[in-house]
Amino acid sequence: NSKVIQTPRYLVKGQGQKAKMRCIPEKGHPVVFWYQQNKNNEFKFLINFQNQEVLQQIDMTEKRFSAECPSNSPCSLEIQSSEAGDSALYLCASSLRRTNYAEQFFGPGTRLTVL
Amino acid sequence: GDQVEQSPSALSLHEGTGSALRCNFTTTMRAVQWFRKNSRGSLINLFYLASGTKENGRLKSAFDSKERYSTLHIRDAQLEDSGTYFCAAERGGRALIFGTGTTVSVSP
């Protein structure tokens, strides 16, 4: 179904540590989204890119996260200083275009546990 | 903010029966996707609709943007249909807004 690759699958960090995860979108998909899914199955949009440009991000992402999608390299999402409340499944999705809605395809996620 | 209300939260079916899941939207959405979370926890794409209905095997989905809802029908349920189903809607070039999921349990 989806060819989005996310690494690592599991990540364990202590509070205050940096946590970095990566995503390779489906080939030919210029738009990448990051979402956070908590244990209550609630999804939160974090940030999205078209190629290397940030399209949208929420306040939390702007303040505490660092994200990029360099050309010819995996996209990455990094929490600068992990907090217990950051423990969640981080999902990367990619799609074909931004201006009109296009189906999003999700990777398996990186499950972050902050001790 | 925009919300997606998914119901029911849990659904029990016997093999061979069917039922429907529903998502109501608090605002006009341009498209909807339906997913099933597989045994490894990955979201599997079931349907993407900008309007109308689509059918795939024993699954059928409908989306009415004007009436602000989408449905997913399961017919002739099989054991392998068990899992958590999510709808997610989008307003146009933006992030998906997810429902909170429906856990479907199919028993013999």
Side-chain angles (χ1 to χ4, degrees):
Chain A
N1 193 261
S2 170
K3 299 178 181 63
V4 176
I5 299 170
Q6 288 190 249
T7 57
R9 292 296 306 275
Y10 300 92
L11 193 55
V12 180
K13 294 291 179 181
Q15 292 194 51
Q17 289 187 316
K18 289 188 178 184
K20 188 169 187 175
M21 54 206 85
R22 293 174 176 83
C23 170
I24 300 175
E26 285 206 23
K27 191 174 181 180
H29 285 192
V31 184
V32 172
F33 297 79
W34 286 97
Y35 296 87
Q36 179 195 65
Q37 182 188 11
N38 67 20
K39 61 182 180 180
N40 296 320
N41 278 337
E42 294 164 335
F43 291 76
K44 180 188 291 184
F45 164 75
L46 297 175
I47 189 170
N48 63 347
F49 292 83
Q50 178 158 327
N51 297 315
Q52 294 83 55
E53 177 190 352
V54 174
L55 297 176
Q56 298 169 284
Q57 61 181 321
I58 62 172
D59 281 349
M60 178 180 82
T61 309
E62 198 168 350
K63 291 173 184 171
R64 300 183 49 241
F65 291 59
S66 171
E68 61 177 0
C69 269
S71 61
N72 301 316
S73 292
C75 297
S76 64
L77 180 71
E78 183 174 38
I79 306 173
Q80 296 302 303
S81 178
S82 300
E83 301 173 356
D86 295 328
S87 295
L89 182 67
Y90 289 83
L91 293 164
C92 175
S94 69
S95 71
L96 271 173
R97 59 186 184 272
R98 174 182 74 92
T99 52
N100 293 305
Y101 179 68
E103 190 173 5
Q104 292 184 31
F105 295 87
F106 283 77
T110 293
R111 185 165 296 283
L112 172 66
T113 301
V114 182
L115 302 174
Chain B
D2 300 339
Q3 288 192 346
V4 175
E5 298 159 355
Q6 185 172 347
S7 63
S9 57
L11 181 62
S12 294
L13 296 171
H14 288 292
E15 274 187 302
T17 64
S19 188
L21 289 59
R22 185 179 176 103
C23 284
N24 292 323
F25 313 121
T26 58
T27 188
T28 301
M29 300 293 184
R30 284 189 53 179
V32 68
Q33 288 189 238
W34 284 91
F35 302 90
R36 179 173 61 229
K37 187 174 267 197
N38 70 7
S39 58
R40 298 183 65 188
S42 296
L43 288 173
I44 304 300
N45 289 41
L46 299 176
F47 293 102
Y48 153 55
L49 298 100
S51 65
T53 62
K54 284 189 179 180
E55 194 164 355
N56 184 2
R58 295 175 293 98
L59 299 179
K60 182 177 180 179
S61 182
F63 173 49
D64 191 325
S65 177
K66 185 177 178 183
E67 298 300 323
R68 301 184 182 179
Y69 76 90
S70 178
T71 56
L72 177 68
H73 291 258
I74 304 173
R75 65 173 176 84
D76 187 25
Q78 302 297 306
L79 296 177
E80 61 263 30
D81 295 329
S82 295
T84 302
Y85 292 74
F86 293 94
C87 68
E90 193 267 341
R91 286 184 60 192
R94 302 178 191 176
L96 289 172
I97 305 167
F98 281 79
T100 49
T102 297
T103 301
V104 174
S105 302
V106 181
S107 57

